[in-house]
């Protein structure tokens, strides 16, 4: 299962992030292969002027400072606002220079005053191999934010760690049991499902990682070396690991639990990367850190849809819809009142008919007065019998997969157009020069 997950992320272009250094002009502090690192402090950052109420959910996500992740941030922020996501949202942005910090801070204050950015050094460099691993930014960025957030994070905050390439379809909240959208693996016992997320009870989306690190004969995972002698991580068997540690974003946990996990996560990730120098190293390091801290996660399937061929996601809710290209209601909500995924994680290629979406092909200046908006998908897109790939029509034989891909395209296009329209109305001149044309088809670029 975990090999299949790596394969579909590779096909979607995610692995390219390992090979590409998006910030080549800034020196990167080295990341040692142990936990002795002192996290560099930037000047005090006042992201929010007033303290947040204790016990609320605070959503965070980790990025570098590229244009590629700037547009993703604006889309995530806007989608959260549309669905009524409660609490604050912070972009943990690593490697921004002073000019970028000032520009992003001013932009977010104007467009989304409830949301902001916390700036950190760039942590991408691996000390042992002297190679770039982009995803060191996630654990080390989280550590920097937890230790240096201004105002400080209240003690009973519930923290949700997302990826930047996510669109909110439903608000994310602390309730688990009783949620009409709840989906879990049949192997999860009823007594393991908590009422609400709280101290000692983290919850996360199921990912197809499996738990290969529980195999003591695995050539890529030496958990004795990674977790250390006597670690509870060493006691986890494969089946338990698959049910409680095969997880990915959204990761949701109490602040105190996240502090513990992040401390071990930053310790383990260079050790994992040493023998497993691939995309998913930081995710396996997270799983092993959670096991080391004896914090098994309640794995749910309903937080995300992403891979249209995967199980363990919220696709059953999509499959039950009679029509998947229905525009959102007047409040911007998709399929209001029905069980539905919380986010779309658009780390895939989606193609139906003439339309397609691949995040790495989106123009970095899409949020501008000059850039066109997205083509409006036809309401009958799911009825298409072909897709266009590399300029050639390819027959689509699987009606269910076509329906899922059409859903993804329709929601992504609609959410992105909503965010673009909001940006243009608030940031661009009303003199006829702003481009509102809905002509952009990513599949044609």
């Amino acid at each position: 299962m975990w090999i299949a997950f790596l394969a579909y992320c590779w096909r979607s272009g995610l692995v390219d992030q390992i090979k590409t250094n998006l910030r080549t002009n800034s020196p990167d502090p080295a990341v040692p292969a142990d936990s002795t690192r002192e996290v560099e402090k930037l000047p005090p950052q006042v992201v929010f002027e007033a303290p947040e109420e204790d016990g609320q959910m605070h959503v965070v996500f980790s990025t570098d400072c590229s244009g590629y992740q700037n547009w993703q941030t604006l889309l995530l922020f806007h989608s959260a606002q549309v669905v009524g996501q409660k609490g604050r949202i912070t972009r943990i942005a690593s490697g921004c220079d002073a000019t970028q910090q000032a520009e992003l801070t001013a932009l977010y204050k104007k467009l989304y005053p409830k949301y902001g950015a916390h700036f950190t050094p760039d942590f991408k460099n691996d000390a042992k191999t002297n190679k770039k691993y982009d995803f060191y930014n996630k654990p080390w960025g989280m550590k920097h934010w937890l230790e240096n957030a201004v105002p400080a994070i209240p003690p009973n905050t519930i923290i949700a760690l997302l990826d930047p390439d996510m669109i909110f379809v439903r608000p994310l909240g602390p309730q688990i049991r009783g949620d009409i959208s709840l989906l879990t693996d049949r192997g999860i016992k009823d007594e393991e499902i908590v009422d609400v997320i709280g101290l000692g009870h983290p919850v996360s989306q199921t990912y197809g990682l499996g738990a290969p690190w529980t195999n003591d004969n695995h050539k890529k995972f030496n958990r004795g070396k990674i977790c250390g002698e006597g670690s509870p991580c060493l006691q986890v068997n494969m089946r338990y690991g698959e049910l409680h540690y095969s997880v990915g974003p959204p990761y949701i946990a109490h602040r105190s639990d996240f502090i513990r996990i992040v401390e071990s996560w930053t310790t383990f990730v260079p050790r994992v990367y040493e023998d497993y120098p691939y995309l998913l190293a930081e995710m396996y390091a997270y799983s092993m850190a959670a096991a080391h801290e004896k914090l098994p996660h309640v794995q749910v399937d309903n937080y995300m849809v992403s891979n249209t061929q995967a199980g363990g996601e919220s696709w059953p809710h999509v499959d039950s819809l009679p029509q998947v290209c229905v525009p959102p209601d007047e409040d911007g909500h998709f399929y209001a009142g029905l069980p539905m995924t919380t986010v779309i994680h658009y780390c895939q290629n989606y193609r139906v008919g003439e339309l397609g979406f691949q995040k790495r092909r989106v123009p970095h200046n899409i949020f501008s007065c000059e850039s066109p908006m997205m083509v409006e998908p036809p309401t009958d897109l799911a009825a298409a019998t072909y897709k266009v790939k590399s300029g050639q029509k390819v027959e689509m034989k699987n009606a269910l997969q076509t329906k899922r891909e059409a859903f993804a395209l329709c929601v992504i296009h609609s959410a992105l157009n909503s965010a673009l329209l909001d940006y243009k109305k608030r940031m661009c001149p009303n003199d006829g020069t702003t481009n509102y044309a809905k002509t952009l088809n990513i599949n044609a670029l």
Side-chain angles (χ1 to χ4, degrees):
M1 184 188 305
W2 66 277
I3 294 175
F5 179 78
L6 177 57
Y8 83 70
C9 283
W10 189 289
R11 289 195 301 271
S12 72
L14 283 177
V15 174
D16 291 343
Q17 297 184 41
I18 298 176
K19 303 175 183 176
T20 304
N21 177 21
L22 295 174
R23 294 282 296 157
T24 57
N25 296 324
S26 297
D28 299 316
V31 179
D34 56 42
S35 62
T36 61
R37 168 142 193 177
E38 290 293 332
V39 175
E40 178 184 343
K41 292 187 178 181
L42 297 179
Q45 308 170 45
V46 182
V47 179
F48 303 105
E49 295 181 358
E52 61 186 309
E53 183 180 344
D54 197 11
Q56 297 294 305
M57 180 172 285
H58 194 135
V59 173
V60 297
F61 58 99
S62 169
T63 74
D64 60 17
C65 212
S66 62
Y68 168 67
Q69 295 195 312
N70 287 342
W71 72 259
Q72 292 178 37
T73 296
L74 290 177
L75 178 54
L76 187 153
F77 280 173
H78 182 77
S79 69
Q81 180 173 272
V82 167
V83 302
Q85 177 63 35
K86 294 181 179 179
R88 289 177 173 164
I89 303 182
T90 298
R91 172 186 181 178
I92 302 174
S94 300
C96 301
D97 62 32
T99 299
Q100 291 170 317
Q101 292 182 32
E103 290 175 348
L104 292 174
T105 298
L107 179 63
Y108 300 157
K109 189 173 183 178
K110 181 172 183 178
L111 289 177
Y112 305 106
K114 286 179 59 179
Y115 311 148
H118 174 87
F119 300 106
T120 83
D122 195 332
F123 299 110
K124 293 178 184 176
N125 197 57
D126 182 76
K128 281 202 169 184
T129 65
N130 201 33
K131 294 180 180 179
K132 299 289 184 183
Y133 178 49
D134 288 4
F135 300 98
Y136 276 142
N137 276 337
K138 189 184 292 186
W140 284 102
M142 277 293 292
K143 182 177 176 66
H144 193 283
W145 175 71
L146 287 166
E147 294 178 352
N148 299 289
V150 179
I153 305 157
N156 292 306
T157 299
I158 303 300
I159 298 170
L161 174 58
L162 274 63
D163 278 342
D165 55 346
M166 289 182 167
I167 296 171
F168 280 92
V169 182
R170 290 286 186 275
L172 193 60
Q175 181 183 1
I176 302 301
R177 188 180 295 276
D179 183 347
I180 64 168
S181 296
L182 180 64
L183 293 172
T184 61
D185 187 279
R186 287 178 294 179
I188 303 294
K189 299 176 182 177
D190 183 70
E191 59 267 26
E192 294 177 324
I193 301 173
V194 297
D195 293 335
V196 295
I197 302 166
L199 183 63
H201 298 290
V203 177
S204 192
Q205 168 65 36
T206 302
Y207 276 63
L209 301 173
W213 50 272
T214 62
N215 178 0
D216 290 327
N217 296 315
H218 200 290
K219 294 181 180 179
K220 296 291 184 181
F221 295 98
N222 183 340
R223 61 174 167 172
K225 182 178 75 171
I226 295 167
C227 298
E229 184 178 354
S231 169
C233 157
L234 306 180
Q235 306 304 315
V236 178
N237 63 41
M238 184 165 290
R239 181 56 177 160
Y240 192 82
E242 291 170 346
L243 290 175
H244 296 286
Y245 297 111
S246 181
V247 294
Y251 301 109
I252 312 176
H254 188 279
R255 172 184 174 272
S256 296
D257 293 337
F258 244 121
I259 289 172
R260 291 170 53 197
I261 291 171
V262 165
E263 190 64 34
S264 293
W265 192 11
T266 51
T267 301
F268 293 173
V269 65
R271 300 176 186 175
V272 173
Y273 188 70
E274 183 177 358
D275 292 326
Y276 184 84
Y278 307 115
L279 170 74
L280 304 181
E282 57 88 10
M283 297 184 72
Y284 284 122
Y286 178 97
S287 299
M288 300 174 81
H292 177 76
E293 296 296 339
K294 300 178 71 172
L295 287 169
H297 288 45
V298 176
Q299 289 184 195
V300 300
D301 298 348
N302 55 282
Y303 281 158
M304 179 186 83
V305 293
S306 184
N307 179 6
T308 58
Q309 301 180 63
E313 297 185 9
S314 196
W315 290 117
H317 295 328
V318 175
D319 298 344
S320 67
L321 296 172
Q323 168 61 275
V324 294
C325 280
V326 175
D329 63 21
E330 60 183 12
D331 296 319
H333 300 162
F334 294 95
Y335 313 103
L338 297 176
M340 185 48 55
T341 183
T342 304
V343 301
I344 288 185
H345 188 187
Y346 53 91
C347 67
Q348 310 296 315
N349 295 340
Y350 305 106
R351 295 186 181 92
V352 180
E354 300 293 325
L355 297 183
F357 187 86
Q358 208 277 346
K359 65 179 183 177
R360 288 198 166 273
R361 298 169 74 177
V362 175
H364 291 184
N365 70 337
I366 190 170
F367 281 89
S368 67
C369 303
E370 300 79 22
S371 177
M373 297 170 64
M374 304 293 290
V375 169
E376 290 281 4
T379 56
D380 62 349
L381 184 62
T385 58
Y386 70 94
K387 62 183 177 182
V388 175
K389 185 175 182 181
S390 301
Q392 302 295 317
K393 285 188 177 182
V394 179
E395 183 180 3
M396 298 192 75
K397 299 180 180 180
N398 187 322
L400 185 62
Q401 185 180 352
T402 302
K403 183 177 183 179
R404 292 176 175 185
E405 301 233 352
F407 170 85
L409 284 167
C410 290
V411 173
I412 291 169
H413 278 229
S414 181
L416 190 46
N417 272 346
S418 177
L420 292 171
L421 181 62
D422 181 67
Y423 177 91
K424 290 173 184 289
K425 285 185 173 180
R426 298 167 68 186
M427 300 295 292
C428 300
N430 185 23
D431 60 2
T433 62
T434 300
N435 191 349
Y436 291 98
K438 296 180 178 179
T439 57
L440 182 59
N441 178 8
I442 302 301
N443 207 36
L445 297 181

